[in-house]
């Protein structure tokens, strides 16, 4: 089952490439394969929040909040 989250769109480095995140799986893929840093505190928190959401320990909506904090930390733009 794909665990839906409130959608968000991210753009790295002011570039033209955007990533739309609609599910916890999208968030995990973005963090693990497309994130510009892998050692920030908010990045690590977002990874843990995703794991908790996958295992049903927290609501999927928490993933969006964690992604927003990680994006701010990494300088990734959030398009609303």
């Amino acid at each position: 089952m794909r665990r839906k989250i409130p959608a968000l769109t991210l753009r790295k480095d002011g570039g033209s490439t955007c990533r739309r995140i609609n599910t916890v799986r999208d968030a995990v893929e973005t963090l693990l394969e497309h994130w510009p840093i892998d050692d920030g505190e908010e990045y690590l928190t977002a990874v843990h929040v995703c794991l908790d959401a996958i295992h049903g320990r927290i609501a999927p909506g928490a993933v969006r909040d964690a992604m927003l904090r990680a994006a701010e930390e990494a300088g990734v733009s959030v398009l609303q």
Side-chain angles (χ1 to χ4, degrees):
M1 175 176 82
R2 293 190 150 238
R3 298 189 59 125
K4 296 278 188 186
I5 66 170
L8 66 141
T9 302
L10 304 175
R11 180 172 44 185
K12 290 191 316 187
D13 302 324
S16 61
T17 302
C18 295
R19 292 194 60 83
R20 183 83 170 159
I21 300 172
N22 296 307
T23 66
V24 174
R25 182 180 180 148
D26 294 340
V28 169
E29 179 181 311
T30 299
L31 287 168
L32 297 181
E33 298 178 15
H34 303 284
W35 210 248
I37 63 171
D38 64 0
D39 62 350
E41 185 176 327
E42 295 298 342
Y43 167 82
L44 295 173
T45 297
V47 170
H48 287 283
V49 168
C50 286
L51 290 173
D52 285 343
I54 287 169
H55 293 289
R57 292 188 285 260
I58 62 172
V63 170
R64 185 179 197 278
D65 295 336
M67 291 293 291
L68 290 172
R69 289 189 302 274
E72 182 177 347
E73 173 185 69
V76 173
S77 299
V78 178
L79 306 176
Q80 299 292 340

